[in-house]
Amino acid sequence: MSYQQTLFNQAYTSQADSTAFFLASNGKNDPHSELLATFDGLFQNNSLGDEHPRCRFPARYHWLIEKLSTSIEIPAAPKCEAFNTFQETLNAAGATMIFPAAYLNSPSSMFGHTLLRIDQHGQDKSNRILAYTASYAAKNDPSDNQLSFVFKGLMGGYPGEMTVLPYYMKLKEYRDIESRDIWEYPLNLSQEETDQMVRHLWEVSGETFDYYFFTENCSYRLLGVLDAIRSEKPMLKAFRLHAIPVDTVRAALQHGYIVDAIYRPSIVNQFQYQLDLLSPDQRDLVYGLVNHPVPEYATLEHYPAEQKAAILETAFLYSRLVTTVPQQVAAKRSLQLLRDRNELDIESPLPELPTPTQRDDQGHLSSRLQISAGEFDDQPYIGFDWRPAYHALNDPGLGYPLGSELKFLDMSFRYYQDDGLKMEDLSLIGIKSITARNRFFRPLSWTFDIGGHRVEEHEKRAWVPHIQGLAGPAWNVSGGLLYALAGGQGQISSKLKSGFDVRAQTSIGYLRKTDSQQFLIGANFEQSAVNDSDPDLRVSARHDLQLTGNWNIFWEFERSKISGSYRNQYELGIKVFY
């Protein structure tokens, strides 16, 4: 059992929140009393069966008996039939850390996720999906909307629970339904460590813990499992303020748990890769085999067997993803395409999607500090920016999906000689999901931000809270993303003329990234629907250059027309990720 010191190190507390997890009445906050109660449990009558403390808490007692060694005579252990069945079912030979990449369309998965796969004796690459997984998640109310889900998740309004489920169910959820790439990290656990992991999972499965999105989340609990295995190398102490899944993967790497990395691409990325290997005519045929009222099978016969197999395999993948035809029609066509492909007695001519040159955990670190010097409307300033998490459009792209942005508590300050130090911008939560459309998929790109910024009001720059949302299409153009979004922003403040404002907004931009550079140009148009004022227009360009993995320099220029006046802004700075 793991205890941690409270914030000011005045006392100890356990992370478990269920009273059933403790043998002493004050066990949650008194490790000494819990240890004595645990010791007394050694001598309870074995007739208790599965309710015996040694059956309920096998990991705890395994640790205690090791510490007691031969100093006292230990009574024989009870049978523990339920735990033995659990242990035999898992048949654990080792474990693998699983990291499904970030999924911006789900509030609970925006930062990614981590779970453990329990690898069994006798399993290999061909049947690994039959293994079990241990995953910690919030037990949310299905009737809650996404806003309620986010609020309760931030405030600890849900209990969390560790569950053990087959791996193929998780693969279907993450890789196929949510189209998330998955990284598998085999752990170098000994058999004894693996056995202790199983004992610990038995103890915590079904027990409740308070769940918080940014602190006591899936990754935090996973590290707790590993700390229970190797208590001499604890990792949880470094994650008291926030636990971001990719950071916990890095911690496991640094502590020597991870020995390899295996890539499982999402079905969407595998399809896009296969599609790019086909000729334009063959891509047209893939589209027609799935979408046209009468599939073009006659055209398919013009191709030799190897090319026919490639077309059928790609069309089959597409039939599992398409949303432009009724589900029943897509299912029938999927089955027919699979039958036709199986009739061709040849190996697949299409290669697997290559492993990316850089994994998610090898991208820039999650927290960022930025210092800059600039000039706004002929007034020089010094800028200070801090963000605890996670990634912005203009950050280095390696290890992060192009067009994704997820910011939490992003703060920007400026120091003007005549005006002192003031907060310029605040993004409590800022999300951008810019995804290219094509003939096969037509996703809606969108942005959301809640926070505050400075606006021109009564010839002064007033601080105004806001909530903003935009949506629209995006396209791949010359290796970059071109997007056009429209929506609005709501503002409320006593410093505004009417006390509030609603502004229609349009944003057009082009984002291009290479391995070491990011270039972003954009134009933003705003018009108040409340006040009779001139529209605001901003045109900007920004270039970021990566010096090393976590050091960047950048320059930015903005030309704006605000309240009828033209302003220029220049900025040059450096940012470090840590």
Side-chain angles (χ1 to χ4, degrees):
M1 173 182 293
S2 174
Y3 284 85
Q4 287 192 335
Q5 287 183 296
T6 55
L7 185 60
F8 298 104
N9 298 328
Q10 297 298 311
Y12 286 87
T13 186
S14 170
Q15 298 291 309
D17 297 293
S18 170
T19 56
F21 195 72
F22 303 98
L23 294 172
S25 59
N26 58 343
K28 179 175 174 61
N29 299 304
D30 190 339
H32 183 259
S33 294
E34 187 65 19
L35 179 61
L36 293 178
T38 301
F39 180 80
D40 290 341
L42 284 170
F43 303 96
Q44 290 195 23
N45 196 312
N46 283 359
S47 63
L48 291 172
D50 288 332
E51 293 302 313
H52 194 286
R54 291 177 70 174
C55 296
R56 292 168 55 198
F57 305 110
R60 189 188 307 184
Y61 278 96
H62 180 82
W63 171 86
L64 178 61
I65 291 170
E66 276 195 336
K67 296 299 181 183
L68 292 173
S69 187
T70 58
S71 59
I72 64 169
E73 183 177 346
I74 306 297
K79 289 185 178 181
C80 302
E81 293 181 1
F83 168 67
N84 291 336
T85 300
F86 177 79
Q87 193 174 36
E88 291 168 6
T89 300
L90 294 187
N91 189 26
T96 297
M97 180 182 286
I98 306 297
F99 174 71
Y103 180 60
L104 295 181
N105 291 324
S106 171
S108 63
S109 301
M110 289 178 184
F111 291 99
H113 183 53
T114 53
L115 60 152
L116 279 179
R117 188 183 69 207
I118 300 121
D119 300 325
Q120 297 183 331
H121 288 284
Q123 284 183 332
D124 56 27
K125 183 179 179 181
S126 65
N127 59 6
R128 194 70 77 189
I129 63 171
L130 299 177
Y132 285 89
T133 62
S135 179
Y136 179 76
K139 293 181 64 177
N140 61 297
D141 185 342
S143 64
D144 284 348
N145 58 40
Q146 291 202 351
L147 187 60
S148 296
F149 184 65
V150 170
F151 178 77
K152 289 183 179 180
L154 289 171
M155 303 305 294
Y158 293 122
E161 183 179 46
M162 185 77 75
T163 57
V164 177
L165 294 170
Y167 186 39
Y168 67 84
M169 295 176 62
K170 290 297 182 180
L171 275 180
K172 183 175 180 62
E173 176 186 352
Y174 295 130
R175 189 184 64 178
D176 298 347
I177 297 176
E178 297 181 351
S179 298
R180 298 162 70 175
D181 287 346
I182 291 176
W183 286 96
E184 301 177 351
Y185 300 90
L187 306 179
N188 59 352
L189 303 182
S190 67
Q191 186 61 55
E192 174 55 33
E193 289 173 329
T194 301
D195 292 342
Q196 182 67 347
M197 175 193 71
V198 172
R199 297 183 192 107
H200 181 72
L201 290 176
W202 170 259
E203 291 186 354
V204 299
S205 294
E207 297 295 340
T208 57
F209 298 76
D210 289 339
Y211 185 94
Y212 295 88
F213 278 166
F214 294 115
T215 52
E216 297 180 32
N217 55 24
C218 61
S219 296
Y220 188 87
R221 291 286 163 237
L222 187 148
L223 292 186
V225 173
L226 297 182
D227 279 0
I229 298 169
R230 294 182 185 171
S231 56
E232 74 280 1
K233 291 185 176 181
M235 292 181 282
L236 279 183
K237 289 182 179 179
F239 294 92
R240 300 189 71 173
L241 296 179
H242 59 76
I244 296 173
V246 71
D247 288 340
T248 60
V249 173
R250 293 176 180 133
L253 278 163
Q254 292 168 0
H255 282 72
Y257 281 93
I258 292 174
V259 296
D260 196 7
I262 300 165
Y263 176 60
R264 285 185 181 266
S266 71
I267 188 173
V268 168
N269 285 341
Q270 180 65 32
F271 166 72
Q272 293 283 12
Y273 176 68
Q274 292 183 188
L275 192 68
D276 291 341
L277 297 175
L278 304 181
S279 69
D281 289 342
Q282 291 169 344
R283 294 174 202 164
D284 290 342
L285 184 52
V286 166
Y287 184 87
L289 287 172
V290 177
N291 281 293
H292 288 176
V294 180
E296 302 171 5
Y297 283 101
T299 307
L300 183 66
E301 297 304 318
H302 297 161
Y303 292 95
E306 188 172 280
Q307 294 182 31
K308 187 188 298 185
I311 294 168
L312 287 170
E313 287 180 25
T314 308
F316 171 70
L317 280 184
Y318 181 46
S319 68
R320 296 169 61 190
L321 299 167
V322 68
T323 58
T324 55
V325 297
Q327 187 175 0
Q328 288 185 337
V329 174
K332 288 180 180 179
R333 293 193 178 179
S334 180
L335 182 60
Q336 185 62 50
L337 289 165
L338 185 60
R339 286 172 177 165
D340 293 343
R341 172 60 186 92
N342 289 338
E343 288 178 2
L344 300 174
D345 190 20
I346 60 173
E347 294 292 325
S348 174
L350 294 171
E352 288 290 324
L353 176 64
T355 299
T357 56
Q358 193 162 12
R359 305 190 305 262
D360 295 51
D361 63 271
Q362 293 174 320
H364 68 76
L365 300 180
S366 299
S367 299
R368 188 204 69 189
L369 181 65
Q370 177 177 297
I371 300 175
S372 60
E375 182 178 279
F376 175 71
D377 195 24
D378 297 326
Q379 299 181 55
Y381 64 84
I382 301 295
F384 306 92
D385 295 65
W386 178 70
R387 184 190 72 211
Y390 162 69
H391 178 71
L393 287 182
N394 49 44
D395 288 340
L398 288 175
Y400 294 87
L402 181 65
S404 67
E405 176 174 288
L406 179 54
K407 301 186 297 184
F408 171 66
L409 285 181
D410 193 350
M411 306 177 193
S412 175
F413 299 86
R414 285 185 184 177
Y415 177 80
Y416 291 94
Q417 186 173 0
D418 296 334
D419 205 21
L421 180 67
K422 292 185 177 180
M423 179 176 282
E424 185 72 14
D425 287 287
L426 170 65
S427 181
L428 295 175
I429 296 180
I431 308 170
K432 288 185 174 68
S433 178
I434 311 297
T435 309
R437 299 160 68 94
N438 56 35
R439 185 182 185 185
F440 295 87
F441 302 111
R442 297 183 179 180
L444 184 69
S445 296
W446 58 276
T447 74
F448 172 81
D449 188 88
I450 182 167
H453 66 297
R454 294 205 172 270
V455 302
E456 297 291 323
E457 190 72 15
H458 306 300
E459 299 183 355
K460 291 185 178 180
R461 304 190 72 236
W463 172 259
V464 174
H466 71 245
I467 183 169
Q468 178 195 57
L470 306 171
W475 306 268
N476 279 318
V477 177
S478 300
L481 278 177
L482 175 66
Y483 58 88
L485 311 177
Q489 182 182 100
Q491 302 173 350
I492 184 167
S493 173
S494 59
K495 297 178 181 179
L496 295 173
K497 186 184 300 183
S498 303
F500 71 97
D501 199 1
V502 178
R503 304 182 69 83
Q505 294 184 320
T506 302
S507 178
I508 300 172
Y510 180 73
L511 172 68
R512 183 177 173 85
K513 295 191 176 188
T514 67
D515 286 353
S516 60
Q517 300 185 65
Q518 295 74 238
F519 188 66
L520 178 63
I521 58 174
N524 296 277
F525 175 88
E526 293 186 19
Q527 175 64 64
S528 173
V530 176
N531 301 313
D532 184 16
S533 58
D534 292 336
D536 294 343
L537 177 65
R538 292 179 174 85
V539 180
S540 63
R542 175 168 174 142
H543 180 218
D544 290 68
L545 176 63
Q546 190 172 9
L547 300 177
T548 66
N550 289 296
W551 287 86
N552 278 213
I553 58 173
F554 71 92
W555 63 262
E556 186 172 18
F557 168 74
E558 180 181 281
R559 173 75 168 172
S560 59
K561 181 186 178 185
I562 304 174
S563 301
S565 300
Y566 287 94
R567 314 269 177 90
N568 290 329
Q569 178 176 299
Y570 311 88
E571 191 168 17
L572 176 67
I574 186 167
K575 56 185 180 181
V576 57
F577 299 91
Y578 65 95

